[in-house]
Every structure is written in structure tokens, then in C-alpha cells.
Amino acid sequence: MISSPDSATCDYPAEFARQLARFRERSGFSVRELAERANCSHSQIVRATGPKVPTWKVAKAFLAACGFDKAALDGWQIAWQVARDAERELSRDEYSTAGREWFWSTAKNSWSEGMKAASSANPVLVLLRDVETPEGLGNAIRTLASRAGHTTVRAIADASGVAKSTMQRWLRGERPPTEPKLRDAVVMLGATPEEREEFLDALRRLNETPCAEPHPDSQLPCVQHPRHRGWHTTSSGLRWLDDGPSFEMLMRDYRANKGDKPVQ
């Protein structure tokens, strides 16, 4: 959750700096590591978190290195502009700030707009937390690579250090990678520490044995991974929930209520 500055002080420059510092810490990178990812100097990364608002070039590189995509960066640019304008406004003397309440009203609205866009979910993490098939893992790898500007199989393979034929099988879900190879590949593609762990967790889920819960009618086992949520599913497509009747029972009752002959 991205917070807002104290409306009484309107200290947007300080809040922008706090946000940068918080996301650097959450990313798991040291200052030196972040500087290398952002192609900035160590001192630029340190100064980005205050007291002065950095240039947008530095702020954008900082945030992109923390894992924000273009949609979120567009929101951050709006927030950066508010912080930059507020920095100049706060430097005015008392006489020159008289009657400028309109500025702070506009700044508040723009800041809220920017923060809403900046808070958009990381698409890589969204995909990874829903991975249930090798194809889903391949889609997450492709999304991570696309963020770094690698859109073809050849480009993704070259950037990750993986053979093109192997990467193609990963992306298609034909053969999941091993943990060491996946870890090395996503690091090369620019994954943050948080994203790396999610990639490995998704792969571990794929390698787990299927859910052993049997279907209440047929007693066929569920073929989904043990930690799945919602409907259980058998290899033949039968579905049921833990806390209720099977899908087939529900359909039988539904048809009976409609005046149809119950399914035998």
C-alpha cells in the first residue's frame, strides 16, 4: 500500500523520498546492487531518497530497477512532478505563497491520481502466484523478459544464458526448468529477489504430487497440486468442493428442481 503525505504539511518531496527508500528496502537489493541495475552511480541512488527530489531520469531508473513496469512508472512520473513542483513551492517565502491554496488542491488531486496508477500490481508476481501449469510458468518468464525489452525467443534465450531450444520448451510449457537453471535465468532477466522467490515457489508447486482428495461419487483422485484453492478436478474433468456436494450432485438437484428427470 502506497501512503500519502500529511495533508497539513503537503510535504510531497519528503513523502516521495520515503516511498523510494521503502521500495528499495522491499526489493531486497543493496544500494550498490540497485545502482548497477539502474545504471546509476552509488551516490545518485543514495541522494534519490532525499532531501532533494531527484531528476525523473534517476527516479525512473531507480523504480524500474525495483521491478515497476511501464504502467506503474507512468503513475510515478505524475507523483514525481507533484513532488518537484511542491519542492519549489515550499521554498517560497511567506509573502509569495499567499493565495496559492489552489496549488495545493491541484497537487493533492494529482498525487492521488499518480499513486493510484503507481500502486498497480506487479504483473509478474500476479502471474506467478496463480501458476498451476508449466504453461503458466512460461508465461511469467515471458512477461519478466518483456519488461526488460526481450520479446523474441532468441532475445530471451540470449539474455538469460539459456539455449534457444530449451527456452522455447520452457515458454511453451513442454518441459519445466530445474530450480538452479530457473534461478540463474530469471536473475539474468532482471528479476528482483521477491520475484526470484516467487518463481522458485511456483516451480516447486508444479513439482509437487497431485492432491489426494477423492471425488465423493467416483472416488477418482484430484489431479491438481496440493495447495490449490477452490474446485477439485479429476483427470476426466469431474469437479467438486471440500465443503459441499459434488458438481454432479448439484446438477442432479438443479435438474430435479426444474422438473427434469434426475440424472442416474
Side-chain angles (χ1 to χ4, degrees):
M1 179 66 179
I2 299 177
S3 58
S4 298
D6 186 339
S7 58
T9 62
C10 301
D11 198 352
Y12 294 104
E15 180 60 22
F16 190 81
R18 282 194 291 270
Q19 298 287 2
L20 293 187
R22 184 163 72 91
F23 283 108
R24 186 202 67 76
E25 182 178 355
R26 198 182 79 172
S27 75
F29 293 119
S30 67
V31 173
R32 192 168 302 282
E33 289 172 329
L34 193 64
E36 291 176 358
R37 283 174 60 90
N39 196 27
C40 294
S41 68
H42 183 279
S43 59
Q44 284 177 312
I45 296 299
V46 172
R47 290 198 300 268
T49 55
K52 291 187 177 182
V53 178
T55 64
W56 173 239
K57 180 179 179 180
V58 170
K60 180 181 179 180
F62 185 115
L63 291 162
C66 289
F68 287 97
D69 65 359
K70 184 182 183 305
L73 289 174
D74 288 344
W76 277 112
Q77 186 169 15
I78 295 173
W80 170 85
Q81 190 63 61
V82 172
R84 195 65 175 250
D85 292 345
E87 187 174 54
R88 290 195 297 268
E89 196 71 15
L90 291 168
S91 68
R92 292 171 175 265
D93 57 40
E94 185 176 351
Y95 176 78
S96 62
T97 59
R100 293 182 63 81
E101 292 81 4
W102 63 269
F103 171 85
W104 296 109
S105 176
T106 301
K108 180 179 179 180
N109 292 334
S110 296
W111 180 269
S112 296
E113 177 187 349
M115 287 295 97
K116 183 177 180 179
S119 298
S120 60
N122 181 331
V124 175
L125 294 179
V126 170
L127 288 171
L128 287 170
R129 288 163 184 168
D130 288 336
V131 165
E132 293 187 357
T133 64
E135 293 89 342
L137 183 63
N139 193 22
I141 295 172
R142 191 183 295 276
T143 302
L144 173 68
S146 178
R147 188 176 71 193
H150 312 302
T151 57
T152 66
V153 177
R154 168 60 68 190
I156 298 172
D158 290 346
S160 63
V162 176
K164 180 183 176 183
S165 58
T166 299
M167 178 55 70
Q168 194 164 44
R169 287 193 288 270
W170 289 7
L171 297 177
R172 291 177 176 175
E174 295 173 352
R175 190 182 73 183
T178 62
E179 279 198 28
K181 287 187 178 295
L182 178 63
R183 182 188 299 108
D184 293 344
V186 298
V187 167
M188 295 292 288
L189 291 171
T192 66
E194 182 181 15
E195 290 167 344
R196 297 172 202 170
E197 287 305 311
E198 289 292 342
F199 267 106
L200 295 179
D201 192 47
L203 180 60
R204 290 166 191 146
R205 290 201 306 272
L206 293 179
N207 291 333
E208 288 176 337
T209 56
C211 174
E213 181 71 19
H215 185 275
D217 294 338
S218 67
Q219 295 303 303
L220 291 172
C222 174
V223 295
Q224 299 199 63
H225 64 82
R227 290 185 287 172
H228 75 87
R229 293 171 292 179
W231 290 93
H232 291 275
T233 307
T234 70
S235 57
S236 61
L238 299 177
R239 300 201 305 156
W240 74 101
L241 290 170
D242 286 329
D243 56 350
S246 71
F247 185 65
E248 288 66 39
M249 290 177 180
L250 291 173
M251 289 303 297
R252 180 163 56 238
D253 292 342
Y254 170 77
R255 291 175 184 175
N257 289 338
K258 289 293 185 181
D260 299 331
K261 182 179 179 180
V263 178
Q264 298 301 320

